[in-house]
């Protein structure tokens, strides 16, 4: 049975990413500096994980000792019941909530607002997940939190409005 290893950590910038596998899936990535590569690999193997050291992706900045657990992997359930499967598991206590990775609403065209959407949930065990919409224009930002039920209804209302907006050109005017 695999468990999460305790990695050596010096805080220096990581130069190697180690993919950590169980028999069924890619479960986590460990980030380490070159000096701690051998020790981090050995600790992971002792924890029952298969390891695959690979290079860092360009633009990735992680400290030595950082461990990212994929929410879809088999180790995610072993982090405890206090993290939903969709939680990115980074800094929940500091934020005071679980948060999924933000999904950027990108139209591949210049837009007046930057919009992101994510799931959030208070740390209380009885708390329900919510949908957080964040919009940024210049230095101004706004956030709207909806229940999952409201987000579901909003999805249907938007689909209807988008269908109605399928207008056709008629003498230079939308009809």
């Amino acid at each position: 049975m695999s468990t999460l290893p305790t990695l050596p950590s010096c805080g220096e910038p990581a130069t190697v990413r180690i993919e950590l596998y169980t028999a069924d899936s890619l479960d986590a990535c460990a980030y380490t500096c070159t000096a701690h590569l051998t020790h981090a690999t050995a600790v992971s193997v002792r924890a029952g994980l298969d390891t695959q050291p690979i290079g860092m992706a360009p633009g990735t900045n992680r400290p030595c000792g950082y461990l990212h657990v994929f929410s879809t992997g088999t180790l995610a359930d072993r982090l405890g019941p206090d993290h939903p499967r969709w939680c990115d598991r980074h800094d929940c206590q500091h934020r005071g909530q679980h948060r999924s990775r933000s999904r950027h609403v990108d139209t591949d065209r210049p837009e007046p607002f930057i919009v992101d959407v994510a799931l959030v949930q208070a740390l209380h065990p009885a708390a329900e997940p919510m949908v957080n919409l964040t919009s940024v224009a210049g230095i101004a930002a706004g956030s709207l939190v909806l229940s999952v039920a409201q987000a579901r209804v909003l999805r249907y209302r938007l689909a209807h409005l988008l269908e109605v907006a399928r207008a056709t050109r008629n003498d230079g005017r939308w009809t």
Side-chain angles (χ1 to χ4, degrees):
M1 179 146 151
S2 301
T3 58
L4 290 170
T6 302
L7 298 174
S9 174
C10 66
E12 292 295 314
T15 55
V16 179
R17 182 178 82 199
I18 306 170
E19 292 181 343
L20 303 175
Y21 294 87
T22 59
D24 297 330
S25 67
L26 171 62
D27 290 294
C29 284
Y31 296 85
T32 184
C33 65
T34 308
H36 289 117
L37 175 61
T38 305
H39 186 226
T41 302
V43 169
S44 300
V45 169
R46 276 196 303 270
L49 299 167
D50 294 324
T51 61
Q52 181 65 47
I54 58 175
M56 295 281 287
T60 303
N61 297 314
R62 300 280 188 272
C64 177
Y66 182 82
L67 182 67
H68 175 80
V69 178
F70 295 107
S71 60
T72 56
T74 57
L75 291 176
D77 294 333
R78 297 184 191 139
L79 289 178
D82 56 341
H83 284 284
R85 290 190 65 78
W86 47 262
C87 181
D88 73 357
R89 293 171 173 76
H90 178 68
D91 214 14
C92 293
Q93 291 297 331
H94 177 69
R95 281 192 313 261
Q97 65 183 8
H98 299 290
R99 186 174 188 88
S100 69
R101 290 190 357 226
S102 287
R103 303 294 185 204
H104 185 63
V105 180
D106 187 5
T107 61
D108 289 328
R109 295 172 23 182
E111 297 285 348
F113 295 94
I114 297 170
V115 178
D116 289 324
V117 63
L119 284 172
V120 295
Q121 181 178 354
L123 297 181
H124 188 275
E128 300 272 332
M130 306 288 272
V131 176
N132 184 11
L133 293 168
T134 303
S135 177
V136 178
I139 60 169
S143 187
L144 176 64
V145 179
L146 303 171
S147 70
V148 172
Q150 286 175 312
R152 185 176 296 114
V153 171
L154 178 60
R155 175 182 70 171
Y156 294 122
R157 298 295 187 256
L158 287 172
H160 174 73
L161 290 174
L162 291 172
E163 192 63 34
V164 170
R166 277 192 181 174
T168 58
R169 281 290 213 187
N170 184 10
D171 290 333
R173 297 184 354 206
W174 291 100
T175 59

